[in-house]
Short mmCIF file of all heavy atoms in Angstrom, two decimals:
data_model
loop_
_atom_site.label_atom_id
_atom_site.label_comp_id
_atom_site.label_asym_id
_atom_site.label_seq_id
_atom_site.Cartn_x
_atom_site.Cartn_y
_atom_site.Cartn_z
N MET A 1 0.88 -1.20 0.06
CA MET A 1 0.04 -0.03 -0.04
C MET A 1 0.96 1.27 -0.03
O MET A 1 1.81 1.34 0.80
CB MET A 1 -0.84 -0.09 1.29
CG MET A 1 -1.77 1.29 1.34
SD MET A 1 -3.09 1.20 2.68
CE MET A 1 -2.74 -0.20 3.62
N LYS A 2 0.67 2.05 -0.94
CA LYS A 2 1.37 3.34 -1.03
C LYS A 2 0.79 4.31 0.02
O LYS A 2 -0.35 4.25 0.39
CB LYS A 2 1.45 4.00 -2.37
CG LYS A 2 2.15 3.21 -3.39
CD LYS A 2 2.22 3.88 -4.78
CE LYS A 2 3.00 3.08 -5.78
NZ LYS A 2 3.10 3.77 -7.03
N ASN A 3 1.59 5.40 0.31
CA ASN A 3 1.04 6.41 1.25
C ASN A 3 1.78 7.75 0.93
O ASN A 3 2.73 7.81 0.28
CB ASN A 3 1.24 6.01 2.70
CG ASN A 3 2.77 5.95 3.11
OD1 ASN A 3 3.34 7.04 3.21
ND2 ASN A 3 3.25 4.75 3.32
N ARG A 4 1.12 8.77 1.48
CA ARG A 4 1.62 10.11 1.26
C ARG A 4 2.15 10.78 2.54
O ARG A 4 2.19 11.99 2.66
CB ARG A 4 0.52 11.06 0.69
CG ARG A 4 -0.07 10.53 -0.68
CD ARG A 4 -1.18 11.44 -1.18
NE ARG A 4 -0.74 12.86 -1.13
CZ ARG A 4 -1.58 13.85 -0.49
NH1 ARG A 4 -2.75 13.47 -0.03
NH2 ARG A 4 -1.20 15.07 -0.45
N ILE A 5 2.41 9.96 3.53
CA ILE A 5 2.79 10.47 4.86
C ILE A 5 4.00 11.39 4.80
O ILE A 5 3.83 12.46 5.39
CB ILE A 5 3.04 9.25 5.81
CG1 ILE A 5 1.86 8.52 6.14
CG2 ILE A 5 3.60 9.83 7.15
CD1 ILE A 5 1.97 7.22 6.92
N LYS A 6 5.04 11.02 4.08
CA LYS A 6 6.22 11.76 4.04
C LYS A 6 5.87 13.21 3.52
O LYS A 6 6.26 14.26 4.10
CB LYS A 6 7.35 11.17 3.13
CG LYS A 6 8.63 11.90 3.35
CD LYS A 6 9.70 11.19 2.53
CE LYS A 6 11.02 11.90 2.60
NZ LYS A 6 12.06 10.99 1.95
N ASP A 7 5.13 13.32 2.45
CA ASP A 7 4.76 14.59 1.85
C ASP A 7 3.86 15.36 2.66
O ASP A 7 4.13 16.64 2.97
CB ASP A 7 3.95 14.30 0.54
CG ASP A 7 4.80 13.76 -0.64
OD1 ASP A 7 6.05 13.91 -0.53
OD2 ASP A 7 4.26 13.10 -1.51
N LEU A 8 2.89 14.68 3.36
CA LEU A 8 2.05 15.48 4.29
C LEU A 8 2.80 15.90 5.53
O LEU A 8 2.64 17.08 6.08
CB LEU A 8 0.89 14.53 4.71
CG LEU A 8 -0.08 14.15 3.72
CD1 LEU A 8 -1.02 12.99 4.14
CD2 LEU A 8 -1.04 15.36 3.31
N ARG A 9 3.68 15.04 5.96
CA ARG A 9 4.48 15.39 7.20
C ARG A 9 5.35 16.68 6.94
O ARG A 9 5.45 17.60 7.65
CB ARG A 9 5.36 14.18 7.58
CG ARG A 9 6.06 14.32 8.81
CD ARG A 9 6.71 13.11 9.24
NE ARG A 9 7.50 12.36 8.29
CZ ARG A 9 8.71 12.89 7.89
NH1 ARG A 9 9.17 13.89 8.45
NH2 ARG A 9 9.43 12.21 6.88
N LYS A 10 6.14 16.61 5.79
CA LYS A 10 6.88 17.69 5.30
C LYS A 10 6.11 19.01 5.13
O LYS A 10 6.58 20.01 5.55
CB LYS A 10 7.77 17.32 4.08
CG LYS A 10 8.61 16.22 4.27
CD LYS A 10 10.01 16.48 3.73
CE LYS A 10 10.87 15.29 3.93
NZ LYS A 10 12.01 15.56 4.87
N ALA A 11 5.02 18.97 4.61
CA ALA A 11 4.06 20.08 4.33
C ALA A 11 3.68 20.78 5.75
O ALA A 11 3.54 21.89 5.85
CB ALA A 11 2.87 19.80 3.50
N ALA A 12 3.55 19.86 6.72
CA ALA A 12 3.23 20.30 8.08
C ALA A 12 4.43 20.69 8.84
O ALA A 12 4.35 20.88 10.11
CB ALA A 12 2.37 19.18 8.80
N LYS A 13 5.63 20.59 8.27
CA LYS A 13 6.87 20.86 9.00
C LYS A 13 7.03 20.02 10.23
O LYS A 13 7.33 20.48 11.34
CB LYS A 13 6.92 22.39 9.37
CG LYS A 13 7.09 23.22 8.03
CD LYS A 13 7.25 24.73 8.50
CE LYS A 13 7.59 25.62 7.37
NZ LYS A 13 6.71 25.80 6.26
N MET A 14 6.66 18.71 10.12
CA MET A 14 6.75 17.77 11.19
C MET A 14 7.87 16.73 10.96
O MET A 14 8.00 16.26 9.78
CB MET A 14 5.32 17.12 11.15
CG MET A 14 4.92 16.29 12.26
SD MET A 14 3.32 15.62 12.01
CE MET A 14 2.25 16.88 12.67
N THR A 15 8.50 16.38 11.92
CA THR A 15 9.48 15.26 11.88
C THR A 15 8.84 13.95 12.08
O THR A 15 7.62 13.90 12.53
CB THR A 15 10.58 15.44 12.89
OG1 THR A 15 9.92 15.27 14.26
CG2 THR A 15 11.23 16.79 12.87
N GLN A 16 9.54 12.91 11.79
CA GLN A 16 8.92 11.49 11.94
C GLN A 16 8.66 11.27 13.46
O GLN A 16 7.74 10.76 13.87
CB GLN A 16 9.98 10.38 11.49
CG GLN A 16 10.04 10.45 10.04
CD GLN A 16 11.28 9.52 9.45
OE1 GLN A 16 12.22 9.40 10.03
NE2 GLN A 16 10.99 9.01 8.30
N GLU A 17 9.53 11.87 14.27
CA GLU A 17 9.43 11.75 15.71
C GLU A 17 8.09 12.48 16.26
O GLU A 17 7.42 11.96 17.05
CB GLU A 17 10.62 12.31 16.40
CG GLU A 17 10.59 12.28 17.97
CD GLU A 17 10.75 10.78 18.47
OE1 GLU A 17 11.26 10.06 17.84
OE2 GLU A 17 10.29 10.49 19.63
N ASP A 18 7.96 13.75 15.64
CA ASP A 18 6.76 14.49 15.97
C ASP A 18 5.47 13.59 15.68
O ASP A 18 4.53 13.46 16.54
CB ASP A 18 6.58 15.71 15.21
CG ASP A 18 7.75 16.71 15.53
OD1 ASP A 18 8.29 16.72 16.60
OD2 ASP A 18 8.02 17.53 14.64
N LEU A 19 5.35 12.99 14.48
CA LEU A 19 4.30 12.33 14.15
C LEU A 19 4.11 11.08 15.05
O LEU A 19 3.02 10.74 15.50
CB LEU A 19 4.31 11.89 12.70
CG LEU A 19 3.15 10.89 12.13
CD1 LEU A 19 1.90 11.70 12.24
CD2 LEU A 19 3.49 10.60 10.61
N ALA A 20 5.19 10.36 15.27
CA ALA A 20 5.19 9.17 16.09
C ALA A 20 4.61 9.50 17.45
O ALA A 20 3.77 8.72 18.00
CB ALA A 20 6.60 8.60 16.27
N VAL A 21 4.97 10.51 18.07
CA VAL A 21 4.56 10.99 19.40
C VAL A 21 3.04 11.28 19.38
O VAL A 21 2.27 10.86 20.21
CB VAL A 21 5.35 12.17 19.98
CG1 VAL A 21 4.57 12.86 21.15
CG2 VAL A 21 6.74 11.85 20.22
N GLN A 22 2.59 12.04 18.21
CA GLN A 22 1.23 12.28 18.21
C GLN A 22 0.24 11.04 18.05
O GLN A 22 -0.86 11.06 18.45
CB GLN A 22 0.93 13.21 17.06
CG GLN A 22 1.42 14.59 17.31
CD GLN A 22 0.81 15.64 16.45
OE1 GLN A 22 -0.32 15.66 16.01
NE2 GLN A 22 1.70 16.61 15.98
N VAL A 23 0.75 10.06 17.39
CA VAL A 23 -0.06 8.76 17.08
C VAL A 23 0.32 7.66 18.07
O VAL A 23 -0.36 6.65 18.02
CB VAL A 23 -0.05 8.39 15.67
CG1 VAL A 23 -0.59 9.46 14.87
CG2 VAL A 23 1.33 7.98 15.20
N GLY A 24 1.25 7.95 18.98
CA GLY A 24 1.49 6.86 20.07
C GLY A 24 2.38 5.60 19.52
O GLY A 24 2.15 4.61 20.07
N VAL A 25 3.21 5.78 18.57
CA VAL A 25 4.05 4.75 18.11
C VAL A 25 5.57 5.13 18.12
O VAL A 25 5.84 6.34 18.32
CB VAL A 25 3.63 4.25 16.68
CG1 VAL A 25 2.27 3.69 16.64
CG2 VAL A 25 3.87 5.28 15.63
N SER A 26 6.39 4.26 17.77
CA SER A 26 7.84 4.65 17.70
C SER A 26 8.24 5.38 16.37
O SER A 26 7.45 5.14 15.39
CB SER A 26 8.71 3.41 17.84
OG SER A 26 8.60 2.54 16.71
N ARG A 27 9.28 6.05 16.38
CA ARG A 27 9.75 6.61 15.12
C ARG A 27 10.06 5.55 14.08
O ARG A 27 9.84 5.72 12.92
CB ARG A 27 10.99 7.51 15.45
CG ARG A 27 11.52 8.26 14.24
CD ARG A 27 12.70 9.23 14.64
NE ARG A 27 13.75 9.17 13.67
CZ ARG A 27 14.63 8.35 13.46
NH1 ARG A 27 14.76 7.31 14.32
NH2 ARG A 27 15.53 8.38 12.56
N GLN A 28 10.53 4.45 14.53
CA GLN A 28 10.86 3.35 13.69
C GLN A 28 9.55 2.83 12.99
O GLN A 28 9.62 2.45 11.81
CB GLN A 28 11.56 2.15 14.39
CG GLN A 28 12.96 2.45 14.74
CD GLN A 28 13.09 3.33 16.03
OE1 GLN A 28 12.18 3.58 16.76
NE2 GLN A 28 14.27 3.89 16.24
N SER A 29 8.38 2.75 13.68
CA SER A 29 7.14 2.44 13.04
C SER A 29 6.83 3.45 11.92
O SER A 29 6.39 3.02 10.84
CB SER A 29 6.00 2.53 14.05
OG SER A 29 6.28 1.42 15.02
N ILE A 30 7.06 4.74 12.12
CA ILE A 30 6.77 5.76 11.15
C ILE A 30 7.60 5.44 9.86
O ILE A 30 7.19 5.47 8.72
CB ILE A 30 6.81 7.11 11.68
CG1 ILE A 30 5.84 7.44 12.80
CG2 ILE A 30 6.67 8.15 10.55
CD1 ILE A 30 4.28 7.22 12.39
N ILE A 31 8.95 5.25 10.14
CA ILE A 31 9.82 4.92 9.03
C ILE A 31 9.36 3.80 8.26
O ILE A 31 9.33 3.76 7.05
CB ILE A 31 11.22 4.76 9.61
CG1 ILE A 31 11.76 6.01 10.19
CG2 ILE A 31 12.21 4.24 8.53
CD1 ILE A 31 13.08 5.80 10.95
N ALA A 32 9.02 2.77 8.80
CA ALA A 32 8.51 1.53 8.23
C ALA A 32 7.24 1.69 7.35
O ALA A 32 7.06 1.27 6.27
CB ALA A 32 8.39 0.42 9.19
N ILE A 33 6.35 2.54 7.92
CA ILE A 33 5.07 2.75 7.23
C ILE A 33 5.41 3.66 6.01
O ILE A 33 4.82 3.38 4.86
CB ILE A 33 4.07 3.52 8.11
CG1 ILE A 33 3.70 2.47 9.33
CG2 ILE A 33 2.85 3.95 7.37
CD1 ILE A 33 2.80 3.12 10.37
N GLU A 34 6.14 4.73 6.25
CA GLU A 34 6.62 5.68 5.12
C GLU A 34 7.22 4.96 3.97
O GLU A 34 7.00 5.16 2.82
CB GLU A 34 7.55 6.84 5.54
CG GLU A 34 6.82 7.93 6.25
CD GLU A 34 7.73 9.02 6.56
OE1 GLU A 34 8.96 8.95 6.16
OE2 GLU A 34 7.25 9.94 7.24
N SER A 35 8.09 3.98 4.22
CA SER A 35 8.77 3.23 3.21
C SER A 35 8.00 2.07 2.59
O SER A 35 8.55 1.43 1.71
CB SER A 35 10.10 2.68 3.79
OG SER A 35 9.95 1.76 4.80
N GLY A 36 6.81 1.80 3.14
CA GLY A 36 6.01 0.74 2.63
C GLY A 36 6.30 -0.58 3.08
O GLY A 36 5.91 -1.62 2.48
N LYS A 37 7.24 -0.62 4.11
CA LYS A 37 7.65 -1.93 4.68
C LYS A 37 6.63 -2.56 5.63
O LYS A 37 6.53 -3.73 6.00
CB LYS A 37 8.94 -1.91 5.36
CG LYS A 37 10.11 -1.65 4.38
CD LYS A 37 11.42 -1.50 5.09
CE LYS A 37 12.45 -1.30 3.97
NZ LYS A 37 13.68 -0.80 4.53
N TYR A 38 5.62 -1.72 6.12
CA TYR A 38 4.71 -2.08 7.15
C TYR A 38 3.46 -1.40 6.80
O TYR A 38 3.37 -0.24 6.56
CB TYR A 38 5.29 -1.73 8.45
CG TYR A 38 4.31 -1.87 9.61
CD1 TYR A 38 3.82 -3.10 10.09
CD2 TYR A 38 3.62 -0.64 10.17
CE1 TYR A 38 2.96 -3.26 11.08
CE2 TYR A 38 2.66 -0.84 11.19
CZ TYR A 38 2.41 -2.12 11.65
OH TYR A 38 1.50 -2.18 12.70
N ASN A 39 2.34 -2.11 6.79
CA ASN A 39 0.96 -1.42 6.67
C ASN A 39 0.31 -1.40 8.06
O ASN A 39 0.33 -2.33 8.87
CB ASN A 39 0.04 -2.35 5.78
CG ASN A 39 0.48 -2.39 4.33
OD1 ASN A 39 0.94 -1.32 3.80
ND2 ASN A 39 0.23 -3.50 3.67
N PRO A 40 -0.03 -0.09 8.40
CA PRO A 40 -0.50 0.07 9.72
C PRO A 40 -1.93 -0.56 9.89
O PRO A 40 -2.70 -0.83 8.99
CB PRO A 40 -0.66 1.65 9.74
CG PRO A 40 -1.00 2.07 8.36
CD PRO A 40 -0.11 1.07 7.54
N SER A 41 -2.27 -0.63 11.13
CA SER A 41 -3.60 -1.20 11.59
C SER A 41 -4.59 -0.09 11.08
O SER A 41 -4.25 1.06 10.85
CB SER A 41 -3.80 -1.34 12.98
OG SER A 41 -3.67 -0.21 13.76
N LEU A 42 -5.83 -0.47 11.02
CA LEU A 42 -6.90 0.53 10.68
C LEU A 42 -6.91 1.67 11.69
O LEU A 42 -6.99 2.81 11.28
CB LEU A 42 -8.26 -0.19 10.56
CG LEU A 42 -9.40 0.67 10.10
CD1 LEU A 42 -9.06 1.42 8.81
CD2 LEU A 42 -10.66 -0.11 10.12
N GLU A 43 -6.85 1.33 12.95
CA GLU A 43 -6.77 2.27 13.92
C GLU A 43 -5.66 3.28 13.81
O GLU A 43 -5.79 4.47 13.94
CB GLU A 43 -6.69 1.65 15.35
CG GLU A 43 -6.78 2.66 16.51
CD GLU A 43 -6.75 1.93 17.75
OE1 GLU A 43 -6.60 0.75 18.01
OE2 GLU A 43 -6.84 2.81 18.83
N LEU A 44 -4.43 2.86 13.57
CA LEU A 44 -3.27 3.66 13.38
C LEU A 44 -3.40 4.49 12.08
O LEU A 44 -3.11 5.69 12.11
CB LEU A 44 -1.99 2.90 13.38
CG LEU A 44 -0.72 3.63 13.12
CD1 LEU A 44 -0.58 4.73 14.18
CD2 LEU A 44 0.51 2.64 13.21
N ALA A 45 -3.91 3.88 11.01
CA ALA A 45 -4.09 4.63 9.77
C ALA A 45 -5.19 5.77 10.00
O ALA A 45 -4.85 6.92 9.58
CB ALA A 45 -4.67 3.63 8.64
N TYR A 46 -6.24 5.55 10.75
CA TYR A 46 -7.18 6.57 11.18
C TYR A 46 -6.52 7.64 11.93
O TYR A 46 -6.65 8.83 11.60
CB TYR A 46 -8.30 5.88 11.97
CG TYR A 46 -9.31 6.90 12.34
CD1 TYR A 46 -10.31 7.43 11.48
CD2 TYR A 46 -9.45 7.32 13.68
CE1 TYR A 46 -11.27 8.38 11.86
CE2 TYR A 46 -10.31 8.20 14.09
CZ TYR A 46 -11.21 8.65 13.30
OH TYR A 46 -12.12 9.70 13.58
N ASN A 47 -5.73 7.31 12.94
CA ASN A 47 -4.95 8.27 13.80
C ASN A 47 -4.10 9.12 13.02
O ASN A 47 -3.94 10.43 13.15
CB ASN A 47 -4.33 7.62 14.98
CG ASN A 47 -5.35 7.12 15.94
OD1 ASN A 47 -6.43 7.49 16.04
ND2 ASN A 47 -4.85 6.14 16.74
N ILE A 48 -3.36 8.52 12.01
CA ILE A 48 -2.48 9.29 11.15
C ILE A 48 -3.19 10.40 10.31
O ILE A 48 -2.88 11.48 10.21
CB ILE A 48 -1.53 8.38 10.33
CG1 ILE A 48 -0.55 7.62 11.21
CG2 ILE A 48 -0.84 9.17 9.22
CD1 ILE A 48 0.09 6.47 10.60
N SER A 49 -4.27 9.83 9.70
CA SER A 49 -5.05 10.77 9.00
C SER A 49 -5.66 11.83 9.68
O SER A 49 -5.76 13.03 9.28
CB SER A 49 -6.19 9.92 8.13
OG SER A 49 -7.19 9.46 9.09
N LYS A 50 -6.03 11.58 10.96
CA LYS A 50 -6.57 12.66 11.82
C LYS A 50 -5.54 13.77 12.08
O LYS A 50 -5.99 14.86 12.09
CB LYS A 50 -7.21 12.16 13.05
CG LYS A 50 -8.34 11.31 13.09
CD LYS A 50 -9.62 11.95 13.16
CE LYS A 50 -9.72 12.46 14.48
NZ LYS A 50 -11.04 13.10 14.78
N VAL A 51 -4.32 13.37 12.31
CA VAL A 51 -3.23 14.36 12.46
C VAL A 51 -3.17 15.40 11.38
O VAL A 51 -2.93 16.48 11.53
CB VAL A 51 -1.83 13.58 12.75
CG1 VAL A 51 -0.62 14.65 12.68
CG2 VAL A 51 -1.84 12.82 13.98
N PHE A 52 -3.31 14.87 10.14
CA PHE A 52 -3.20 15.61 8.95
C PHE A 52 -4.58 16.11 8.48
O PHE A 52 -4.59 16.78 7.47
CB PHE A 52 -2.65 14.78 7.78
CG PHE A 52 -1.18 14.42 8.09
CD1 PHE A 52 -0.79 13.10 8.11
CD2 PHE A 52 -0.14 15.38 8.27
CE1 PHE A 52 0.45 12.63 8.41
CE2 PHE A 52 1.17 14.86 8.63
CZ PHE A 52 1.41 13.57 8.60
N ASP A 53 -5.55 15.95 9.29
CA ASP A 53 -6.94 16.48 8.90
C ASP A 53 -7.36 16.07 7.63
O ASP A 53 -7.89 16.78 6.81
CB ASP A 53 -7.05 17.93 9.10
CG ASP A 53 -8.37 18.55 9.11
OD1 ASP A 53 -9.28 17.77 9.69
OD2 ASP A 53 -8.70 19.62 8.72
N CYS A 54 -7.18 14.69 7.28
CA CYS A 54 -7.54 14.16 5.97
C CYS A 54 -8.40 12.92 6.31
O CYS A 54 -8.30 12.45 7.39
CB CYS A 54 -6.28 13.67 5.26
SG CYS A 54 -5.14 14.95 4.80
N ILE A 55 -8.95 12.42 5.23
CA ILE A 55 -9.54 11.07 5.29
C ILE A 55 -8.48 10.03 4.95
O ILE A 55 -7.49 10.29 4.42
CB ILE A 55 -10.80 10.91 4.40
CG1 ILE A 55 -10.45 11.11 3.00
CG2 ILE A 55 -11.94 11.87 4.77
CD1 ILE A 55 -11.49 10.82 2.00
N ILE A 56 -8.70 8.78 5.46
CA ILE A 56 -7.63 7.74 5.25
C ILE A 56 -7.25 7.62 3.80
O ILE A 56 -6.10 7.35 3.49
CB ILE A 56 -8.18 6.38 5.77
CG1 ILE A 56 -8.23 6.44 7.28
CG2 ILE A 56 -7.27 5.30 5.39
CD1 ILE A 56 -8.86 5.28 8.01
N GLU A 57 -8.24 7.76 2.89
CA GLU A 57 -7.93 7.53 1.43
C GLU A 57 -7.05 8.65 0.90
O GLU A 57 -6.51 8.41 -0.20
CB GLU A 57 -9.30 7.54 0.66
CG GLU A 57 -10.13 6.24 0.90
CD GLU A 57 -10.98 6.37 2.08
OE1 GLU A 57 -10.98 7.22 2.95
OE2 GLU A 57 -11.79 5.43 2.29
N GLU A 58 -6.95 9.76 1.60
CA GLU A 58 -6.04 10.83 1.05
C GLU A 58 -4.62 10.59 1.61
O GLU A 58 -3.77 11.18 0.99
CB GLU A 58 -6.54 12.17 1.70
CG GLU A 58 -7.84 12.69 0.96
CD GLU A 58 -8.41 13.93 1.57
OE1 GLU A 58 -8.26 14.18 2.85
OE2 GLU A 58 -9.02 14.72 0.80
N VAL A 59 -4.40 9.71 2.52
CA VAL A 59 -3.09 9.49 3.09
C VAL A 59 -2.56 8.05 2.52
O VAL A 59 -1.43 7.96 2.18
CB VAL A 59 -3.20 9.38 4.63
CG1 VAL A 59 -1.84 8.98 5.27
CG2 VAL A 59 -3.66 10.64 5.27
N PHE A 60 -3.50 7.10 2.44
CA PHE A 60 -3.18 5.73 1.98
C PHE A 60 -3.83 5.46 0.65
O PHE A 60 -4.94 5.71 0.51
CB PHE A 60 -3.52 4.65 3.06
CG PHE A 60 -2.69 4.90 4.30
CD1 PHE A 60 -3.32 5.62 5.38
CD2 PHE A 60 -1.48 4.38 4.54
CE1 PHE A 60 -2.62 5.84 6.52
CE2 PHE A 60 -0.81 4.57 5.74
CZ PHE A 60 -1.40 5.33 6.73
N ILE A 61 -3.02 4.95 -0.28
CA ILE A 61 -3.52 4.52 -1.58
C ILE A 61 -3.37 3.00 -1.72
O ILE A 61 -2.24 2.48 -1.79
CB ILE A 61 -2.61 5.28 -2.63
CG1 ILE A 61 -2.84 6.82 -2.50
CG2 ILE A 61 -3.16 4.95 -4.08
CD1 ILE A 61 -1.63 7.44 -1.85
N LEU A 62 -4.48 2.43 -1.85
CA LEU A 62 -4.50 0.97 -2.10
C LEU A 62 -4.24 0.63 -3.59
O LEU A 62 -4.97 1.21 -4.43
CB LEU A 62 -5.96 0.47 -1.71
CG LEU A 62 -6.07 -1.15 -1.78
CD1 LEU A 62 -5.10 -1.80 -0.88
CD2 LEU A 62 -7.48 -1.50 -1.44
N GLU A 63 -3.21 -0.22 -3.76
CA GLU A 63 -2.95 -0.35 -5.14
C GLU A 63 -3.83 -1.47 -5.68
O GLU A 63 -3.86 -2.59 -5.14
CB GLU A 63 -1.47 -0.70 -5.33
CG GLU A 63 -0.51 0.38 -4.88
CD GLU A 63 0.89 -0.02 -4.85
OE1 GLU A 63 1.31 -0.63 -3.85
OE2 GLU A 63 1.57 0.19 -5.84
N GLU A 64 -4.27 -1.43 -6.88
CA GLU A 64 -5.07 -2.46 -7.56
C GLU A 64 -4.26 -3.63 -7.89
O GLU A 64 -3.07 -3.45 -8.27
CB GLU A 64 -5.79 -1.93 -8.82
CG GLU A 64 -6.77 -0.80 -8.54
CD GLU A 64 -7.94 -1.30 -7.68
OE1 GLU A 64 -8.48 -2.43 -7.90
OE2 GLU A 64 -8.41 -0.46 -6.73
N GLY A 65 -4.79 -4.76 -7.75
CA GLY A 65 -4.05 -5.98 -8.15
C GLY A 65 -2.97 -6.42 -7.17
O GLY A 65 -2.15 -7.25 -7.35
N GLY A 66 -3.01 -5.87 -5.93
CA GLY A 66 -2.17 -6.27 -4.88
C GLY A 66 -2.49 -7.50 -4.22
O GLY A 66 -3.20 -8.20 -4.71
N GLU A 67 -1.80 -7.69 -3.07
CA GLU A 67 -2.05 -8.97 -2.33
C GLU A 67 -3.61 -9.03 -1.88
O GLU A 67 -4.10 -7.96 -1.55
CB GLU A 67 -1.21 -9.04 -1.08
CG GLU A 67 0.30 -9.14 -1.52
CD GLU A 67 1.21 -9.24 -0.22
OE1 GLU A 67 0.55 -9.61 0.86
OE2 GLU A 67 2.36 -8.94 -0.35
N GLU A 68 -4.10 -10.18 -1.83
CA GLU A 68 -5.51 -10.39 -1.34
C GLU A 68 -5.53 -11.07 -0.15
O GLU A 68 -4.68 -11.86 0.26
CB GLU A 68 -6.27 -11.06 -2.52
CG GLU A 68 -6.29 -10.17 -3.69
CD GLU A 68 -7.28 -10.70 -4.74
OE1 GLU A 68 -8.21 -11.53 -4.37
OE2 GLU A 68 -7.00 -10.40 -5.93
#
C-alpha cells in the first residue's frame, strides 16, 4: 500500500518523531510505514489521517491487483 505520509509530514513541517509521538508509536514504526515495509492497523491509519486532517484515502493509496 502506498502512502503520502512523508509529503504530508513535510508540508506540516513535522518530523517523523513528531508524528510518532502524536499517534503513539515509535519513530521506527513511522519509518517502516513511510517506506511501505509495514501497513498500519486501521486504527493507526485513522489516527495518522486525523493528524493531517484528512480522510484515510487521502493518506493511503490501495494499489489495484495487490495482495489479497
Side-chain angles (χ1 to χ4, degrees):
M1 178 173 8
K2 291 186 178 182
N3 68 72
R4 299 179 48 233
I5 294 174
K6 187 174 184 177
D7 295 334
L8 292 167
R9 189 173 50 73
K10 296 223 181 248
K13 295 182 169 63
M14 191 181 273
T15 66
Q16 291 170 328
E17 182 70 25
D18 294 334
L19 179 58
V21 168
Q22 286 195 40
V23 298
V25 298
S26 69
R27 185 174 141 276
Q28 288 78 13
S29 294
I30 298 300
I31 292 168
I33 295 167
E34 278 188 6
S35 66
K37 293 180 180 164
Y38 170 73
N39 288 329
S41 67
L42 181 57
E43 181 180 6
L44 180 53
Y46 176 77
N47 289 337
I48 291 170
S49 67
K50 292 271 291 183
V51 167
F52 298 118
D53 196 29
C54 297
I55 60 172
I56 291 175
E57 291 86 349
E58 291 174 323
V59 180
F60 297 93
I61 299 99
L62 183 62
E63 298 175 277
E64 296 297 319
E67 294 180 23
E68 296 188 24

